[in-house]
Amino acid sequence: MPITSPPRWKRKTGCRIASPAIDKLACTDLGIEEGTPFEVGGLQLTPLHTPGHTDGHFAYRLGDRLFSGDALLIDGCGRTDFQNGSVDDLFHSVRGKLFSLPDDSLVYPGHDYHDRRVSTIAQEKRRNPRLGEAVSLEQFRTIMAELDLPYPKFIDHAVPGNRQCGVCPSDLSESYRQYCEQAEHSPQG
């Protein structure tokens, strides 16, 4: 997980910064709240608070499309073992909120490890091995507890840095400081 730098993008492009209102980030121009639509380039997005992967996670609806972030992946879901994640919250977010959308809603996840781009709510209900309709909350707890994923190397620095609007934390080792400062000054940023 990298440290993002919204203020740098704002300086370079004049864009506005949106983030979950509950995070109360100092650099935010627009606090995202569930049910309060907002526009990006003339497109109206409707935010759905989907805690579980993180406590401030949102998915976004655009007509018949759902941009699910890491809450719902194609045949999977995001991890819940850091950033105030919660197995139970993720289960209820997906099953109670996202799976209540029309079955033909297109699902665009935040990423996919197998180069897939899109799914549907019906497909995820039917065949998602972690969160599909056949999986109980107790089974989901077991699945998530047994993932045995490596702990992200930079997360203990990235999360505080991102909660400070992309500021590199002062307590970084030299190698992490170089990584963080390189990201701050990259040509893409």
Side-chain angles (χ1 to χ4, degrees), residues 1-147:
M1 164 181 270
I3 291 182
T4 60
S5 51
R8 182 179 66 217
W9 285 102
K10 186 175 182 174
R11 284 190 305 275
K12 286 186 165 234
T13 68
C15 69
R16 295 178 67 203
I17 300 170
S19 69
I22 59 175
D23 287 345
K24 299 178 182 164
L25 298 182
C27 60
T28 299
D29 298 309
L30 174 67
I32 303 297
E33 297 181 288
E34 179 162 297
T36 303
F38 64 98
E39 283 195 20
V40 175
L43 300 173
Q44 188 173 67
L45 299 168
T46 301
L48 301 168
H49 187 217
T50 51
H53 174 60
T54 65
D55 56 349
H57 189 279
F58 276 84
Y60 301 93
R61 282 193 71 188
L62 175 64
D64 66 348
R65 291 165 175 82
L66 173 71
F67 300 94
S68 59
D70 283 358
L72 179 61
L73 303 176
I74 297 174
D75 296 334
C77 63
R79 62 195 294 169
T80 57
D81 58 338
F82 56 80
Q83 287 185 267
N84 300 318
S86 165
V87 173
D88 287 21
D89 286 351
L90 183 57
F91 184 87
H92 295 300
S93 289
V94 171
R95 297 289 289 278
K97 210 171 270 187
L98 302 184
F99 281 5
S100 70
L101 298 173
D103 281 350
D104 62 349
S105 298
L106 298 173
V107 177
Y108 295 90
H111 59 90
D112 184 76
Y113 296 106
H114 305 287
D115 294 326
R116 297 169 295 185
R117 305 273 187 267
V118 64
S119 181
T120 66
I121 291 295
Q123 178 178 306
E124 295 309 313
K125 284 179 179 178
R126 188 173 55 253
R127 72 176 208 201
N128 190 302
R130 294 185 190 170
L131 285 161
E133 290 177 318
V135 179
S136 71
L137 175 57
E138 193 56 45
Q139 290 170 314
F140 182 59
R141 287 177 182 147
T142 301
I143 290 166
M144 297 306 283
E146 293 176 352
L147 287 180

